[in-house]
Amino acid sequence: MKFLHFTNNEEFDKDNHPWPKLNKIYDIMEHLRNKFRNLYIPDKNLSIDESLMRFKGRLSWKMFIAKKRARFGLKFFVVCEVGTGYIADFLIYTGNGTVYNPKFANYPVSTKIVLHLMDRFLGQGYCVTMDNYYMSPQLADIFISERTDLYGTVNKMRKDLPPNFANEKIPKGDVLAYQSGKVMALKWQDKKSVFLMSTVHNASSRLVKCKSKKTVLKPIVVCDYNNTMGGVDLCDQEMSYYPTLRKQQGKYYIKIFRQFMGQSLWNAYILYKKDNPLKNITLLDFRLQIIELSIQKYSDRNSSVHSSRCSSTLNPMRLTARHFASHIPPNPIKKEPRRQCAVCCSKKN
């Protein structure tokens, strides 16, 4: 890992580089973004949210987000498919040096982020869910003109919202809604006031069972938001079970590269399940298969290991190259049987 490098520093030209702050990882980043976008067409429902890659080193564009588990790290803006969590595109935030699509240079930062990620999806009938950091009446008007739907929570202080929309008091459980063309602004009084905008919903409600098994009347837009906002969270949760990052690595571009490895494995797992719907394989089993196949493909087939055990058949690949653990099924005597590794035993001898 000490000598892992992805670019030639002597050829770096700060003035002509498309993304100077990410020059050490730029080529791999663009390669993966193109792969993510071209290999799979997501379903209709997408969600946009931020993801924090843990990093505590010295870096000018390192972020602090108190609500995230890592708290310190590099921020990724990600658009995911709602049902599977497939990463359709991403954008790394590098402060003032963040490079957006020049078509959207005149918009506010939050609007530029959404339009940058959704540029290739506009005008194709997609529906996007987002939180109050991105949502605004201006963005809703742009999406309507591009024949794309959106809904999500909205900051009550956003410009162009209806007057007194934030300050008007309503009883608990009631709904206050305003409609302007296809855009609806809704306020629902729960324990706290909830503010939402949508281009596909109206102010209708339905009965929903809560965790306490009570039946509550909720606006449909709130129910749909709760069901579709978790695409990025699903991806982060699954990737956190088998992290590719290492705490001792202080170079940011190596950590970003390891994050890309995790994202690539996750997307490959989603595509594998799409192509093989009858195979019920977990993410762990899929990753183990990738490891085994990689060892078999790139190992030195001419190398051999001297084993004290006699065998009339040829040694399998895992005994003639870099060996790896294999699962031993349970038996009537032991639920989790274990055996000594033939390669490790031979090395001790």
Side-chain angles (χ1 to χ4, degrees):
M1 301 303 297
K2 180 179 180 181
F3 301 102
L4 186 62
H5 212 63
F6 311 104
T7 186
N8 187 354
N9 291 336
E10 296 178 356
E11 298 178 355
F12 172 59
D13 185 359
K14 184 177 180 180
D15 296 330
N16 297 322
H17 197 277
W19 205 320
K21 286 190 175 182
L22 291 176
N23 69 89
K24 291 182 178 292
I25 198 73
Y26 176 79
D27 293 335
I28 290 182
M29 180 184 72
E30 288 302 302
H31 173 74
L32 287 179
R33 286 186 64 232
N34 291 330
K35 289 291 185 181
F36 292 173
R37 293 189 294 180
N38 297 330
L39 290 178
Y40 177 65
I41 300 176
D43 291 338
K44 176 183 177 181
N45 293 316
L46 302 173
S47 65
I48 293 178
D49 204 355
E50 61 266 7
S51 174
L52 194 69
M53 186 199 78
R54 181 174 180 174
F55 180 76
K56 289 191 175 182
R58 298 178 64 180
L59 200 63
S60 61
W61 31 280
K62 178 180 65 177
M63 301 293 296
F64 173 77
I65 304 179
K67 294 182 179 180
K68 296 290 184 180
R69 184 176 181 181
R71 296 194 300 164
F72 293 93
L74 307 184
K75 184 189 288 187
F76 285 65
F77 296 106
V78 186
V79 54
C80 284
E81 186 182 44
V82 169
T84 61
Y86 179 87
I87 301 173
D89 204 350
F90 61 86
L91 172 68
I92 302 178
Y93 180 72
T94 57
N96 293 331
T98 307
V99 178
Y100 304 99
N101 193 321
K103 292 193 301 184
F104 313 118
N106 297 326
Y107 293 110
V109 174
S110 60
T111 304
K112 279 194 292 188
I113 292 170
V114 177
L115 294 177
H116 177 91
L117 294 174
M118 290 294 300
D119 185 28
R120 69 189 183 97
F121 298 113
L122 296 177
Q124 299 184 28
Y126 280 91
C127 184
V128 192
T129 311
M130 60 192 73
D131 60 20
N132 58 6
Y133 176 76
Y134 312 96
M135 181 67 75
S136 67
Q138 180 190 36
L139 183 63
D141 292 336
I142 296 172
F143 269 51
I144 290 174
S145 65
E146 296 289 347
R147 294 182 288 115
T148 306
D149 294 321
L150 82 167
Y151 60 90
T153 56
V154 62
N155 191 325
K156 63 181 180 180
M157 304 306 294
R158 284 285 190 183
K159 185 180 179 181
D160 296 330
L161 282 174
N164 299 323
F165 178 63
N167 300 325
E168 192 166 349
K169 294 183 179 180
I170 58 176
K172 184 177 179 180
D174 283 9
V175 170
L176 175 66
Y178 295 85
Q179 189 81 28
S180 176
K182 286 190 65 177
V183 183
M184 180 197 67
L186 181 141
K187 177 180 180 180
W188 176 52
Q189 188 64 39
D190 194 27
K191 293 181 180 179
K192 295 181 179 180
S193 297
V194 181
F195 303 90
L196 301 104
M197 285 186 61
S198 175
T199 62
V200 293
H201 296 88
N202 53 30
S204 58
S205 303
R206 69 180 176 207
L207 294 173
V208 178
K209 285 188 178 181
C210 299
K211 293 182 180 179
S212 60
K213 298 183 179 180
K214 293 182 179 179
T215 303
V216 181
L217 192 64
K218 285 186 179 182
I220 294 178
V221 62
V222 174
C223 300
D224 289 346
Y225 174 80
N226 293 335
N227 293 331
T228 58
M229 189 55 202
V232 180
D233 293 334
L234 172 63
C235 171
D236 288 344
Q237 180 182 2
E238 293 289 343
M239 288 173 56
S240 68
Y241 295 150
Y242 316 106
T244 53
L245 302 180
R246 296 294 179 266
K247 293 182 181 179
Q248 65 271 21
Q249 289 170 348
K251 296 180 180 179
Y252 74 93
Y253 58 90
I254 294 182
K255 282 218 168 186
I256 293 176
F257 172 70
R258 284 185 167 271
Q259 181 75 358
F260 288 163
M261 288 176 58
Q263 292 178 346
S264 301
L265 283 169
W266 170 248
N267 278 359
Y269 173 64
I270 298 300
L271 296 180
Y272 181 81
K273 291 183 66 177
K274 290 280 186 179
D275 291 338
N276 302 274
L278 299 180
K279 289 187 178 181
N280 188 15
I281 183 173
T282 63
L283 179 58
L284 176 59
D285 292 335
F286 177 78
R287 292 171 69 111
L288 290 175
Q289 289 184 16
I290 293 292
I291 293 170
E292 293 176 5
L293 293 173
S294 299
I295 292 174
Q296 292 180 12
K297 182 176 180 180
Y298 298 107
S299 62
D300 185 5
R301 296 177 180 270
N302 297 323
S303 63
S304 61
V305 176
H306 298 287
S307 175
S308 59
R309 300 182 181 181
C310 297
S311 177
S312 59
T313 60
L314 295 175
N315 287 334
M317 180 59 65
R318 71 182 199 88
L319 299 183
T320 60
R322 293 184 60 186
H323 62 286
F324 47 88
S326 60
H327 177 69
I328 303 174
N331 54 51
I333 300 176
K334 291 184 179 181
K335 292 183 179 180
E336 297 181 356
R338 298 181 182 181
R339 296 175 186 171
Q340 290 184 342
C341 176
V343 179
C344 296
C345 291
S346 63
K347 288 182 178 180
K348 289 180 181 179
N349 296 332

